[in-house]
Amino acid sequence: MPSVQSPSVPNASVARHRVLRLLHILVVLASVVLLYGVTYDTLHTESFAVHERYLRMQFWICVFFILETVVEWLLRPNRVRHFFTMLALVAVCVPYINIVNYMEWHVSLEVYYILRVIPIVRAAVVLVVMWGIMEKNWVTGMFGSYLIILTITLYVLSLLFYVEEHAVNAQVYNYWQSLWYSFMQMNTCGSNISPVTPAGKIIGVVLSVEGLILFPVFTVFFTQAFGVTRQDSATASSN
């Protein structure tokens, strides 16, 4: 008697992976929109921060980030272990800028800017996770993760440096000067631009320290890649 095959049941792990991948892609896209708004505001000196459409956009993006974080946590098989991580990410995604405007609190320009870009941290975490899933080699995975962190940090801090310096520093007459200073400061080569504001000097220190900490990863990556290449060549020669 032929055996009766039961209907195929979708693999829960595969379905969970697909849902998480879709959520991660949506987070990245929403972060691009948010970062575009911050960039446009910074470079065009328009007060998007108090504009109702901008506030509404940031509010709903932050709400989506919070829901996505909770859903991702619920889909994890080991929720207890990741509970505090989930709470930390939710805290990052809170729409603080909307709370500040609703309560009519007066904060400095620096704090206002930081509150606007804090939710982008969620995108950085998602990009690192996505890269780690795609790349199985731990050295390459670490290299890609640090590259993502470096790029996002460089861009955000270069915008903040421009906000602080362009009105009082004749050397920072456009954003590209700010980006050049930030890049040169991060790779510890230094720049001919000298910050004049306290916040600008702090940004320079942060960029230098981050470069000193993160750039050695490049050396580790290329050393490991060179070692693998030599090993493969030796194996091929022996065969």
Side-chain angles (χ1 to χ4, degrees):
M1 182 177 178
S3 59
V4 180
Q5 296 183 349
S6 59
S8 59
V9 180
N11 190 306
S13 178
V14 174
R16 182 170 62 249
H17 176 72
R18 290 176 178 175
V19 171
L20 290 176
R21 183 171 58 182
L22 175 61
L23 290 174
H24 288 167
I25 292 174
L26 292 176
V27 166
V28 173
L29 293 177
S31 300
V32 170
V33 174
L34 192 61
L35 191 57
Y36 171 79
V38 175
T39 304
Y40 193 92
D41 176 23
T42 302
L43 300 183
H44 293 77
T45 63
E46 294 188 15
S47 186
F48 273 16
V50 296
H51 198 288
E52 183 179 353
R53 286 185 301 175
Y54 179 87
L55 291 174
R56 186 164 56 245
M57 177 192 72
Q58 172 129 344
F59 173 78
W60 287 113
I61 288 178
C62 288
V63 169
F64 168 69
F65 284 175
I66 293 173
L67 293 176
E68 186 274 337
T69 302
V70 174
V71 170
E72 181 175 345
W73 175 72
L74 291 174
L75 290 176
R76 289 182 178 274
N78 45 359
R79 299 174 194 165
V80 177
R81 193 176 70 179
H82 296 279
F83 178 72
F84 290 104
T85 303
M86 183 270 295
L87 289 182
L89 290 176
V90 167
V92 166
C93 301
V94 171
Y96 296 106
I97 197 72
N98 297 84
I99 297 174
V100 168
N101 279 272
Y102 180 78
M103 301 299 295
E104 297 183 350
W105 292 336
H106 297 284
V107 298
S108 65
L109 180 63
E110 297 85 0
V111 174
Y112 213 82
Y113 178 85
I114 292 172
L115 291 178
R116 282 189 290 176
V117 300
I118 278 180
I120 299 173
V121 174
R122 178 57 184 151
V125 174
V126 165
L127 286 171
V128 169
V129 171
M130 292 175 67
W131 178 265
I133 293 174
M134 291 185 298
E135 183 54 59
K136 301 303 180 183
N137 184 283
W138 74 270
V139 176
T140 308
M142 181 183 295
F143 175 76
S145 299
Y146 278 111
L147 193 61
I148 291 170
I149 295 172
L150 278 173
T151 303
I152 294 177
T153 304
L154 175 66
Y155 185 69
V156 171
L157 288 181
S158 66
L159 282 174
L160 181 56
F161 185 81
Y162 177 76
V163 169
E164 291 296 323
E165 294 285 328
H166 81 282
V168 295
N169 193 338
Q171 295 178 304
V172 187
Y173 49 85
N174 58 28
Y175 169 69
W176 301 113
Q177 294 298 111
S178 175
L179 182 61
W180 168 255
Y181 167 82
S182 301
F183 177 77
M184 296 303 291
Q185 199 72 13
M186 180 173 280
N187 65 29
T188 67
C189 290
S191 171
N192 61 326
I193 299 174
S194 300
V196 297
T197 63
K201 295 176 182 178
I202 294 174
I203 292 170
V205 173
V206 172
L207 287 167
S208 298
V209 171
E210 186 175 14
L212 288 172
I213 294 173
L214 298 183
F215 266 96
V217 176
F218 290 85
T219 304
V220 175
F221 171 74
F222 287 114
T223 302
Q224 195 269 351
F226 180 71
V228 171
T229 303
R230 290 193 61 182
Q231 185 178 0
D232 292 341
S233 300
T235 304
S237 300
S238 62
N239 293 335

